[in-house]
């Protein structure tokens, strides 16, 4: 839609420019013709007055012809340039979704009316007027969409409204983002009550003698049943919405209430005020009115009518007597309070935890006597866990034994939504922290591993210090493995994706997994048919399968059962199957799925939401780091896949992983058919003049010593500005640097900014970036061609090999 709109706008601009050009040309020709005519006339008559009269006649005639001319179809031709866009915009405006489209430069291409209404004009995502970090969530969803094709953000607050957002990459070249905003579906008690009062339920109440209306906090009527409209105006079909409720009522000196229209001899009415929003002191309310002439309506019948009314309301309501015993509660109240089928609690306190029972009983007795008043009490239900709920309490009079009206709101969906948003926010924050910690550790480990390599070059096996140095290096490599796991969780790990068949990876790793299992545990592997290709790092996929298999083994062993079974299954999942799954965060499409199922004791419901968090483990101290499932989560998400955990206590667990089916390009197909070339042994020794730019002193020292030892001439700099100074200081006779080896993230001036300025002067300069962050992540911020990447931590041999390979390619 966005590309079509832009094309139509371009056609309109071209049409407008063409029309303006033709108009200017015709005007110039007309002026030239008039000038020639005036010149010839003056040459013939030599009379200025006659010349002026002729000019006035021509001007007047031209004006008359212009205004009386038939209208051309220029406007129709111009409008046709964007007629298709008008239809598209009309269709978009019929949607109940707020839509906006932005391009790669972050510019707003178009938006429908709902979007501009919700966000006060054509705001540009993700910079919208949101609260509580909503723009950060939206920006993350946008980045996910550029990377993965889709992104999601939930709980975006703007005033009292909350929205869920879905972001998709769109356009023939995936050059646009389509932003979709939907308001969260919440039960609106006020709107539900207005519809109920004005519908069939309201008519039934009118026939039973119960007059009802709904008023807003300002006292104006929002809706009413036919009986109230008839008593208030004399006509059932009268529209009284928006009028003040008090204008229809009056009271005498004794406080008796009458309808104003009934006059002095009208029938008094009994009024019941039921607040619909306890959080507001003067909020919306439901008004019930019953005739009270001392004999027309018996109190018992009135109470029956009220109970019938309360049973139909979506709000949980109950009535108690002066002693606090239940007289009635509707289905909504019983559902929220956790009342079982057939259960008949005697007191409201029976539904609360022990600590809140006395508080509820005291409040009910207090509101049952004295003047009518209302208030709220925060209580915890026996069936609701630790989250408190608001119990509304209001005193009522004139209903026989009924003395207190209780109300309770079902906020389970709201609580669930808040929990999901909090979980997503926490996972994002933990991921950012894990990535930052891993980056800093990579710098430290680079220095440790590098110095160990340099010391090992001076010690031969058998020396007294050789084994100690080797042990330090081995432990450092183990620490580097932990940082890779942290980077995997934060989706910042350097991957080497390949196009592969998932069963091939499972087959390669199943033999290794069998050796990790006990003889009592059976490993079953099944493969489906017609599996699509996936694009992922095979080494990382093997780590995913091993981690899930080892966790399944531990779950079976901890269950105390004599043996068990682990099943690994691959399966094709078509788009129609995805729709049937009804998983909100799994986009519809074709997938190749991997399922790992065990017969262990299962995962408790209170823990299943935490299993992917780093360092969370239920194993004993010393038997797990808590990074296994967090690593699995990060690898799957960074590979563009989706992972879900399903479990029932005592019935084992199933981990489901969905990888999008990869559609191969012609270039990828050609690469797969090319024969493999033999890889020659790489030479570590070399010669060349290298500029080394690194802000960490310990890393810079190790890299300098490693390259100098291999025969290179090295000049060092601590940041990009100092590196440029070395470049600018080169004179005519000085040796130009053969390559630049630079860190990416540095203070003052980072590596990519420095490299861009160097390329302006030396466009063919080879550049090798080194960083503790993922290559895929940094490639998006490095807008340069022909640059190489060296991940940290690296050894002396690895940096020498990388530098030698780049210089060799440059010489060729």
């Amino acid at each position: 839609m966005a590309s079509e709109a832009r094309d139509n706008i371009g056609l309109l601009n071209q049409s407008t420019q063409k029309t303006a050009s033709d108009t200017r040309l015709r005007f110039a020709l007309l002026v030239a013709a008039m000038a020639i005519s005036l010149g010839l006339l003056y040459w013939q008559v030599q009379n200025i007055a006659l010349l002026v009269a002729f000019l006035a006649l021509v001007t007047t005639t031209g004006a008359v012809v212009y205004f009386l001319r038939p209208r051309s179809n220029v406007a129709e031709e111009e409008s046709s340039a964007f007629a298709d866009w008008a239809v598209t915009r009309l269709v978009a405006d019929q949607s109940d979704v707020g839509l906006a489209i932005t391009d790669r430069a972050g510019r707003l291409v178009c938006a429908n009316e709902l979007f501009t209404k919700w966000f006060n004009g054509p705001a540009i995502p993700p910079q919208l007027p949101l609260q509580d970090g909503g723009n950060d969530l939206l920006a993350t969803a946008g980045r996910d969409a550029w990377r993965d094709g889709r992104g999601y953000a939930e709980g975006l607050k703007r005033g009292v409204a909350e929205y869920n957002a879905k972001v998709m990459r769109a356009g023939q070249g995936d050059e646009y983002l389509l932003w979709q905003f939907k308001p969260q579906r919440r039960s609106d008690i006020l709107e539900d009550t207005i519809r109920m009062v004005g519908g069939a339920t309201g008519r039934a109440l009118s026939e039973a003698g119960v007059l009802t209306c709904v008023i807003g906090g300002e006292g104006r009527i929002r809706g009413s049943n036919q009986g109230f409209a008839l008593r208030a105006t004399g006509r059932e079909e009268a529209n009284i919405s928006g009028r003040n409720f008090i204008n229809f009522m009056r009271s005498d000196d004794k406080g008796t209430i009458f309808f104003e229209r009934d006059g002095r001899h009208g029938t008094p009415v009994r009024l019941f005020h039921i607040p619909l929003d306890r959080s507001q002191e003067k909020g919306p309310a439901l008004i019930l009115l019953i005739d009270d002439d001392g004999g027309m309506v018996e109190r018992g019948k009135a109470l029956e009518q009220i109970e019938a009314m309360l049973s139909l309301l979506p709000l949980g309501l109950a009535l108690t007597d002066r002693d606090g015993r239940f007289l009635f509660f509707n289905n909504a109240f019983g559902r929220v309070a956790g009342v079982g089928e057939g259960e008949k609690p005697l007191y409201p306190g029976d539904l609360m935890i022990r600590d809140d029972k006395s508080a509820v009983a005291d409040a009910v007795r207090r509101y049952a006597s004295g003047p009518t008043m209302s208030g709220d009490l925060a209580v915890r239900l026996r069936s609701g866990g630790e989250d408190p709920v608001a119990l509304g309490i209001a005193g009522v009079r004139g209903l026989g034994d009924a003395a207190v009206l209780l109300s309770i709101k079902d906020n389970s969906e709201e609580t669930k939504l808040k929990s999901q948003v909090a979980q997503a926010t926490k996972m994002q924050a933990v991921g950012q922290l894990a990535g930052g910690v891993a980056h800093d550790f990579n710098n430290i480990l680079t220095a440790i591993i590098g110095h160990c390599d340099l010391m090992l070059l001076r010690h031969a096996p058998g020396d007294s210090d050789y084994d100690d140095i080797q042990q330090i290096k081995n432990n450092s490599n183990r620490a580097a493995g932990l940082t890779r796991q942290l980077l995997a969780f934060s989706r910042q790990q350097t991957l080497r994706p390949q196009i592969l068949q998932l069963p091939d990876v499972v087959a390669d790793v199943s033999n290794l997994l069998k050796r990790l299992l006990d003889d009592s545990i059976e490993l079953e592997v099944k493969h489906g048919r017609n599996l699509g290709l996936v694009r992922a790092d095979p080494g990382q996929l093997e780590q995913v399968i091993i981690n899930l298999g080892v966790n399944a083994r531990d779950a079976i062993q901890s269950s105390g059962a004599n043996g068990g079974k682990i099943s690994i299954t691959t399966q094709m999942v078509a788009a129609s199957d995805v729709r049937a799954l009804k998983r909100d965060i799994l986009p519809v499409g074709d997938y190749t799925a991997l399922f790992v199922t065990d017969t262990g004791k299962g995962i408790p419901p209170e823990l299943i939401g935490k299993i992917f968090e780093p360092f969370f483990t239920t194993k004993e101290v010393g038997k797990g780091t808590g990074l296994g499932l967090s690593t699995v989560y990060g690898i799957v998400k960074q590979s563009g896949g989706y992972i879900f955990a399903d479990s029932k206590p005592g019935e084992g667990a199933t981990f489901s992983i969905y990888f999008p089916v990869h559609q191969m390009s012609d270039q990828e197909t050609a690469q797969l058919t090319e024969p493999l070339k033999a890889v020659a042994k790489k030479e570590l020794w070399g010669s060349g003049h290298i500029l080394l730019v690194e802000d960490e002193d310990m890393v810079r020292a190790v890299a300098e010593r490693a390259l100098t030892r291999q025969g290179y001439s090295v000049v060092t700099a601590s940041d990009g500005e100092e590196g440029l100074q070395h470049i600018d200081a080169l004179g005519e006779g000085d040796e130009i640097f053969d390559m630049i080896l630079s860190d990416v993230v540095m203070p003052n001036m980072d590596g990519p900014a420095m490299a861009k300025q160097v390329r302006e002067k030396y466009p063919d300069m080879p550049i090798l970036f080194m960083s503790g962050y993922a290559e895929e992540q940094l490639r998006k911020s490095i807008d340069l061609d022909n640059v190489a990447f060296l991940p940290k931590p690296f050894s002396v041999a690895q940096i020498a090999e990388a530098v030698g390979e780049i210089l060799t390619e440059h010489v060729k």
Side-chain angles (χ1 to χ4, degrees), residues 185-219:
R185 301 299 182 186
R186 291 187 175 183
S187 177
D188 191 325
I189 296 174
L190 176 60
E191 294 298 330
D192 291 345
T193 306
I194 292 173
R195 285 193 294 269
M196 182 204 66
V197 167
T201 302
R203 182 175 293 277
L205 291 170
S206 295
E207 295 173 354
V210 180
L211 314 180
T212 61
C213 74
V214 182
I215 63 172
E218 74 287 351

Side-chain angles (χ1 to χ4, degrees), residues 187-323:
S187 177
D188 191 325
I189 296 174
L190 176 60
E191 294 298 330
D192 291 345
T193 306
I194 292 173
R195 285 193 294 269
M196 182 204 66
V197 167
T201 302
R203 182 175 293 277
L205 291 170
S206 295
E207 295 173 354
V210 180
L211 314 180
T212 61
C213 74
V214 182
I215 63 172
E218 74 287 351
R220 295 185 181 276
I221 296 175
R222 301 289 186 86
S224 66
N225 67 353
Q226 294 83 357
F228 182 90
L230 178 62
R231 288 287 294 275
T233 65
R235 294 184 300 115
E236 283 190 357
E237 67 278 5
N239 182 11
I240 57 176
S241 296
R243 301 174 65 177
N244 281 323
F245 170 77
I246 196 65
N247 292 342
F248 295 108
M249 314 303 298
R250 69 176 179 85
S251 61
D252 59 15
D253 297 338
K254 298 179 181 180
T256 306
I257 301 174
F258 302 87
F259 273 94
E260 180 68 34
R261 183 175 175 275
D262 290 345
R264 292 182 177 274
H265 302 290
T267 302
V269 293
R270 186 175 292 126
L271 184 148
F272 303 94
H273 180 274
I274 303 175
L276 297 178
D277 188 351
R278 296 283 179 179
S279 63
Q280 301 183 39
E281 183 178 353
K282 294 182 179 181
L286 173 67
I287 303 296
L288 306 180
L289 297 159
I290 301 175
D291 286 339
D292 185 20
D293 60 354
M296 183 179 293
V297 180
E298 298 179 359
R299 292 190 173 186
K301 184 177 179 181
L303 183 57
E304 292 178 1
Q305 293 170 339
I306 294 297
E307 290 180 358
M309 169 69 181
L310 298 183
S311 65
L312 298 173
L313 287 173
L315 180 67
L317 297 169
L319 290 171
T320 70
D321 60 16
R322 294 182 182 278
D323 296 327

Side-chain angles (χ1 to χ4, degrees), residues 294-464:
M296 183 179 293
V297 180
E298 298 179 359
R299 292 190 173 186
K301 184 177 179 181
L303 183 57
E304 292 178 1
Q305 293 170 339
I306 294 297
E307 290 180 358
M309 169 69 181
L310 298 183
S311 65
L312 298 173
L313 287 173
L315 180 67
L317 297 169
L319 290 171
T320 70
D321 60 16
R322 294 182 182 278
D323 296 327
R325 289 187 291 265
F326 274 124
L327 296 175
F328 163 83
F329 58 81
N330 62 5
N331 293 333
F333 187 96
R335 183 178 62 255
V336 177
V339 179
E341 185 177 357
E343 183 182 0
K344 296 181 179 180
L346 186 59
Y347 295 96
D350 297 339
L351 305 176
M352 315 301 167
I353 65 172
R354 180 179 302 175
D355 295 342
D356 291 343
K357 285 186 176 183
S358 60
V360 173
D362 292 342
V364 170
R365 284 193 294 268
R366 186 170 64 255
Y367 283 89
S369 59
T372 57
M373 55 183 180
S374 62
D376 285 333
L377 186 66
V379 297
R380 287 167 293 177
L381 299 172
R382 66 183 184 185
S383 60
E386 294 298 321
D387 295 327
V389 298
L391 179 68
I393 308 176
V396 295
R397 303 291 181 266
L399 287 180
D401 294 335
V404 174
L405 175 69
L406 301 177
S407 64
I408 191 171
K409 180 183 178 183
D410 184 1
N411 58 354
S412 57
E413 288 298 324
E414 183 177 351
T415 301
K416 180 181 177 181
L417 179 62
K418 288 181 179 179
S419 176
Q420 291 175 346
V421 173
Q423 176 71 8
T425 304
K426 180 173 65 174
M427 293 291 280
Q428 179 184 1
V430 172
Q432 293 174 346
L433 174 63
V437 170
H439 173 261
D440 292 339
F441 268 105
N442 277 335
N443 280 327
I444 298 173
L445 294 173
T446 299
I448 295 174
I449 294 173
H451 280 100
C452 287
D453 287 340
L454 293 173
M455 294 176 67
L456 289 174
L457 292 175
R458 300 195 301 271
H459 294 76
D463 290 354
S464 59

Side-chain angles (χ1 to χ4, degrees), residues 10 40 74 97 181 184 207 229 376 397 435-436 445 453 457 507 775 800 803-804:
L40 292 174
V74 174
V97 178
F181 295 86
Q184 289 185 356
E207 295 173 354
D376 285 333
R397 303 291 181 266
L445 294 173
D453 287 340
L457 292 175
E775 179 179 358
V803 170

